Amino acid sequence: MNMSRRKFVRGAALGLAAGAAAARAQGVPEQGEMPLVVGTWPFSKFSTDAALKILLDGGPILDAVERGIWLTEDAAPEKSVGLGGRPNAAGFVQLDACIMFGPGHKAGSVAALEGIRHPISAARRVMEKSTHVMLAGEGARVFALEQGLESIPVDDRELYEKWRQTRSAQPPKKPGNHDTIALLALGADGTIAGGCSTSGLAGKLPGRVGDSPILGSGLYVDNDVGAAGATGVGENVMRYCATFMIVEFMRQGLAPHEAIVKVIQRIIQSERRDDLHINFIALDKHVRYGAAGTDGNFKYAVATPGKSLVLNNPGL
């Protein structure tokens, strides 16, 4: 359904006011405690809680991010993260993930990865054990196996050939919905890290890569400012480098929620449509956090030493 530019601008303005009122009504604090962990969707609560425990026990922040995401990769209720995720159009699962460590602006990423139980661990190995930032496809899988990561056998050639032969005879299917875990952490010492993992859009073309492993799209971390993570339709996120833009708006002084809203409004004004399905979380060095998205059912999890909550999308 198309909407006029005027209607979008008016709706965004009303949404911003309503979102602020909703946040006040929920009693959501603008500033939290340290350590602070924020994750996308209600299913990330297990991950945020696990990550927080590692931080409170004195563990490294990268371990907190990685092992927190492990839980979702192993048992995501939405079946859209890890090997239990939704297959592509050819019937096999291809995984995307990335991780960023604020100090030194370090990062690792994998895309279109098959058969590896924890793609977030493969991304971390790329960051720590290679001279590269991103590996894709079979090269990413071979690297992960060389690093000793847990895997399952992969032989998708027969599935791919069958799909290729029947593709022209079948009407195209509308891609199914999916969810991504983005996990952001702020340590007690002020260090920031984040991770992102997904099986991608259900029914996608083989080889399709979404925003999740793309730095500045699915995830961005700047240790001087803050971090942002995304979930939704990756094509609508990566064309705008959305998480990078959110962090840059925070650099200019906006609070996390304000920065997210400003980016979403910019995308809406450019796209002029209401089926974007883009949602974001963010935190900053001032120990503030926030979230917003175009999907009314979007919720996010927050964990601090004093609380563990799942919060509603406060709106635009």
Side-chain angles (χ1 to χ4, degrees), residues 17 23-24 26 32 68 77 89 131 158-159 173 177 186 220 227 240 246 261 269 281 314:
R24 289 193 297 270
Q26 292 182 57
T131 59
E158 183 177 348
L159 281 171
K173 296 181 180 179
N177 291 329
L186 172 64
Y220 194 69
Y240 293 90
I246 290 168
V261 168
Q269 289 174 353
I281 57 172

Side-chain angles (χ1 to χ4, degrees), residues 40-161:
T40 53
W41 302 106
F43 61 69
S44 75
K45 186 176 185 300
F46 298 102
S47 294
T48 56
D49 288 349
L52 178 67
K53 184 178 187 306
I54 291 172
L55 292 174
L56 292 176
D57 289 343
I61 194 169
L62 283 174
D63 286 357
V65 170
E66 179 186 19
R67 294 175 187 175
I69 290 177
W70 278 1
L71 294 179
T72 303
E73 289 177 335
D74 278 338
E78 297 299 317
K79 301 299 182 185
S80 59
V81 181
L83 290 174
R86 296 165 183 169
N88 61 19
F92 49 94
V93 177
Q94 291 185 324
L95 307 172
D96 300 330
C98 75
I99 194 167
M100 288 194 74
F101 181 57
H105 226 69
K106 298 176 181 178
S109 173
V110 290
L113 176 66
E114 297 180 25
I116 301 301
R117 180 180 176 187
H118 292 300
I120 190 64
S121 296
R124 182 175 179 181
R125 298 302 192 282
V126 171
M127 178 178 70
E128 296 180 335
K129 303 296 183 180
S130 83
T131 59
H132 306 304
V133 170
M134 186 176 193
L135 294 177
E138 185 61 16
R141 173 174 167 78
V142 170
F143 175 80
L145 293 174
E146 290 175 345
Q147 292 296 313
L149 298 184
E150 187 174 350
S151 66
I152 62 171
V154 171
D155 185 8
D156 54 46
R157 178 54 54 183
E158 183 177 348
L159 281 171
Y160 179 80
E161 290 299 331

Side-chain angles (χ1 to χ4, degrees), residues 5 239-240 264-273:
R5 180 184 177 91
R239 288 183 292 113
Y240 293 90
I264 293 175
Q265 288 175 337
R266 178 176 292 189
I267 296 174
I268 286 175
Q269 289 174 353
S270 176
E271 294 290 325
R272 302 188 184 188
R273 57 193 178 94

Side-chain angles (χ1 to χ4, degrees), residues 40-41 43 76 78-81 85-87 94 96 174-181 196-204 208-213 230-238 276-279 295 297-298:
T40 53
W41 302 106
F43 61 69
E78 297 299 317
K79 301 299 182 185
S80 59
V81 181
R86 296 165 183 169
Q94 291 185 324
D96 300 330
K174 183 178 180 180
N177 291 329
H178 74 291
D179 296 323
T180 296
I181 180 170
C196 192
S197 183
T198 187
S199 62
L201 200 65
K204 62 188 177 182
R208 178 264 188 185
V209 175
D211 66 301
S212 296
T231 179
V233 176
E235 284 76 4
N236 297 333
V237 174
M238 70 174 100
L276 294 171
H277 302 298
I278 52 175
N279 309 284
D295 296 337
N297 67 334
F298 173 60

